[in-house]
Amino acid sequence: ARNASEALQEVIKQMTGQKLEIVGESDAPAEGTVLAVGRTRLAEEMGVEVAQGRRAGDRYAIRSSGRYVILKGNDGDGLNGTVYAAYDLLQRLGCGWYGPEPLWEVIPETDTIRVPAMDVYEEAAFKGRRIWFIPRPLAHAWRLGGYLPRMGHSFWRLVSRDLIEEHPDWFPHQPPGSGQPDICHPEVIEHIANQFLEVLDEEDGFHSFSLCANDVHLWPDSEYTRKVGNPGAQNLYLANQVAERLREEHPGRFALTFYIYWVTHTPPDTEIEAAPEVFAFMVNEGNKAAPWDREEPPELAERFYKSNTRERRHLHAWREKTGVRIGIRDWWIPAFHDRDWQRLPWYAWETTVRNYRYWHEHGIRHVDIEAVDYERGPRPRGAWPRRWPTYYVGARGLWNPDIDPEEVMREACEHLFGPAASHMFEFYRVLERAMFETPYFHQNWNLPPAHKVYTEAVVKEADSHISAAMEMDIDDPAVRERIEAEMHDWEQSVELLAEYRQDPPQRWKVHYDDQYMFWHEPEMTVGRIRSLIGLPNHSPVFAVTPEGEVSEPEPSETMDLTSGVKFYSEPPE
């Protein structure tokens, strides 16, 4: 309530020049307009009810009647419902936040603020909503937040390599510590559980703990793992065993999380039911240029190793075989391997919102989106002008996936660009449609080849719209500066796309059995191939050259992808 009141105070001062006083409810004036913020007696008297606590999820109410404006949200267990209510009210009064800099804020100036009669009740569709590095107040204005259990690669923190000498059997790889620890080993399970028990013993309240595997490391083959099943089954087995141990002493006080990704993306190959305290966050390793609900051509669905068809199959198989509660971890990091995407636009509002609808329809209630520092690009502005439509519409859709993404973008353009709104909307829309309609594809965090998506015809059409906006006679200096910022970045993008057409970036196919995936580097170790494709360490990998030479390379061996080598689970005839 204090944060919400201070936000209202600051923004209303920017709008009117007047600073409203923040007082306790008992000191409220007998006359004049009163904004009652939080769980006030006045809200109770007026019948404004909002459920509290983590289980209720994010929700809030706004009611204006007579001289009172009531803002009340679910603020229990660290939630921010009342803050969302404050920003919702400000947005209804004409304010808008579209980026982390003042340039991308819209705060109208006025002598008088009139709050119409309203009775608003809002509830988040997804209980946990995060897009990485979105700062406050932007995250509050976009209603990001809620409850997400703890995640993050954890095995080497929980089972330190310092224990190798004392417990060599916990680390069956050679050399010891080169792959994942044996998480099915009874002593390893007890070692991890004791660390969590120590936290629960010493600290009150609810706690979540990460059991997420280390990134792209080999999985062991031991007497314990063979009894459990494939790596997906192993990670779930670890979570179940730890949950059983914690439940004995601290029932109802914890959640455990692991990733469905890389090697663990494949559903368990044995019968195993998830404990009720376990969350699994499935990483979207599919095609970022298209939504999950779009039927894919056979070449993509059957031969491309990481397609959206595969994502859907694995999601439903995990749910049906284990009953585990699943969240989605998405990657919005096209610059991870191709840093030139810092200088290229990426707009994906329809793909994003359609994915949300699919996920929500199939029981997903928590979404965590990785968008990190290398997406920001060169400072000071970073990637915001090239990303804000994806971030903004994406955040709005996390609260309500039933939004019309085009209408949301049109409204945002009207706020930001005034008389040039239609031209700027069409500029963004041309590029968004080009990505949405492209027949090209990629996987993991990558996007299709930029110069094939943004063809010369697409560039010409987009350029016509932003040039028309630039040529308009616009009095508002902020609107003019925003358009100029977009034009500056667009000109850089056009130059880069021209370079790509002259000298296209190379991609190489990594063939495994009858499927393949793309890679950006001409060489790759066999261990990395295993991790990206999702092969446990004990599964053989055979390399076959175009000349027919067959070998079974070691995980550390580097393979030359330019040579035409292909990989198989069995030696081909």
Side-chain angles (χ1 to χ4, degrees), residues 185-451:
H185 195 300
E187 294 176 5
V188 172
I189 295 170
E190 186 67 14
H191 176 74
I192 293 173
N194 286 338
Q195 295 175 64
F196 298 162
L197 283 169
E198 184 176 346
V199 174
L200 293 169
D201 289 342
E202 295 179 357
E203 300 178 16
D204 295 332
F206 186 89
H207 295 268
S208 63
F209 303 101
S210 172
L211 291 171
C212 299
N214 302 318
D215 206 353
V216 195
H217 278 289
L218 302 175
W219 286 70
D221 177 29
S222 73
E223 61 174 302
Y224 304 107
T225 61
R226 289 187 216 110
K227 293 177 182 177
V228 172
N230 65 5
Q234 293 171 33
N235 217 152
L236 179 53
Y237 175 80
L238 167 66
N240 283 349
Q241 293 296 305
V242 172
E244 183 177 338
R245 180 71 178 85
L246 303 187
R247 195 185 306 125
E248 295 173 0
E249 300 179 33
H250 299 282
R253 288 193 54 211
F254 65 92
L256 303 170
T257 307
F258 68 94
Y259 287 146
I260 299 174
Y261 86 132
W262 299 136
V263 181
T264 60
H265 202 283
T266 302
D269 56 356
T270 55
E271 294 297 322
I272 180 170
E273 184 176 347
E277 300 91 349
V278 175
F279 282 86
F281 272 75
M282 181 175 181
V283 177
N284 179 12
E285 297 175 357
N287 179 16
K288 296 292 186 293
W292 279 28
D293 63 358
R294 180 194 292 174
E295 289 300 316
E296 295 176 313
E299 166 69 9
L300 178 55
E302 303 302 332
R303 294 213 60 218
F304 197 53
Y305 196 83
K306 293 185 176 181
S307 65
N308 288 346
T309 303
R310 167 199 185 243
E311 300 304 299
R312 294 197 307 268
R313 287 173 180 168
H314 283 191
L315 172 67
H316 298 305
W318 265 98
R319 291 180 66 91
E320 291 165 7
K321 296 189 73 171
T322 71
V324 69
R325 288 184 291 176
I326 296 180
I328 293 291
R329 168 80 178 277
D330 210 348
W331 277 318
W332 288 2
I333 51 174
F336 180 72
H337 269 132
D338 185 355
R339 296 305 171 93
D340 284 330
W341 272 103
Q342 290 180 350
R343 299 163 55 199
L344 292 169
W346 172 46
Y347 310 133
W349 58 69
E350 183 169 349
T351 289
T352 297
V353 172
R354 280 173 58 170
N355 279 348
Y356 292 166
R357 291 173 187 161
Y358 185 91
W359 297 338
H360 193 268
E361 179 185 350
H362 292 93
I364 303 300
R365 293 296 181 269
H366 300 79
V367 178
D368 185 37
I369 298 171
E370 180 176 348
V372 292
D373 282 353
Y374 41 72
E375 285 300 307
R376 298 188 188 190
R379 296 180 184 277
R381 285 209 317 278
W384 275 103
R386 300 182 182 89
R387 294 286 189 272
W388 79 262
T390 299
Y391 294 158
Y392 175 67
V393 179
R396 290 281 303 273
L398 284 173
W399 185 270
N400 177 14
D402 292 330
I403 60 169
D404 180 336
E406 285 207 356
E407 286 304 310
V408 170
M409 269 302 296
R410 286 184 190 276
E411 181 185 276
C413 287
E414 289 171 2
H415 263 183
L416 289 168
F417 303 113
S422 60
H423 288 305
M424 292 304 298
F425 172 79
E426 290 301 328
F427 166 73
Y428 296 124
R429 188 176 186 276
V430 166
L431 298 174
E432 189 267 349
R433 288 290 91 184
M435 184 65 74
F436 183 79
E437 295 169 0
T438 183
Y440 299 99
F441 49 87
H442 218 305
Q443 75 285 312
N444 293 334
W445 47 77
N446 303 293
L447 291 172
H451 63 293

Side-chain angles (χ1 to χ4, degrees), residues 96-143:
W97 289 266
Y98 305 97
E101 299 173 342
L103 178 62
W104 296 92
E105 297 177 359
V106 177
I107 310 295
E109 295 183 3
T110 181
D111 291 330
T112 304
I113 294 176
R114 299 188 184 279
V115 181
M118 66 176 74
D119 192 357
V120 173
Y121 184 84
E122 288 276 343
E123 182 177 345
F126 293 98
K127 289 192 173 184
R129 310 167 308 284
R130 180 169 66 174
I131 302 174
W132 290 21
F133 87 73
I134 304 297
R136 296 177 184 176
L138 206 56
H140 285 159
W142 291 1
R143 296 177 234 172

Side-chain angles (χ1 to χ4, degrees), residues 19-69:
K19 184 176 181 180
L20 301 187
E21 188 177 359
I22 300 174
V23 299
E25 187 172 15
S26 60
D27 297 323
E31 297 180 351
T33 302
V34 172
L35 279 71
V37 183
R39 287 176 279 181
T40 58
R41 292 190 305 275
L42 184 59
E44 292 182 7
E45 291 170 5
M46 295 183 65
V48 179
E49 298 181 358
V50 178
Q52 300 292 309
R54 176 177 54 82
R55 294 185 181 278
D58 283 305
R59 57 186 68 206
Y60 62 83
I62 305 173
R63 183 180 297 176
S64 63
S65 179
R67 72 185 188 98
Y68 298 111
V69 181

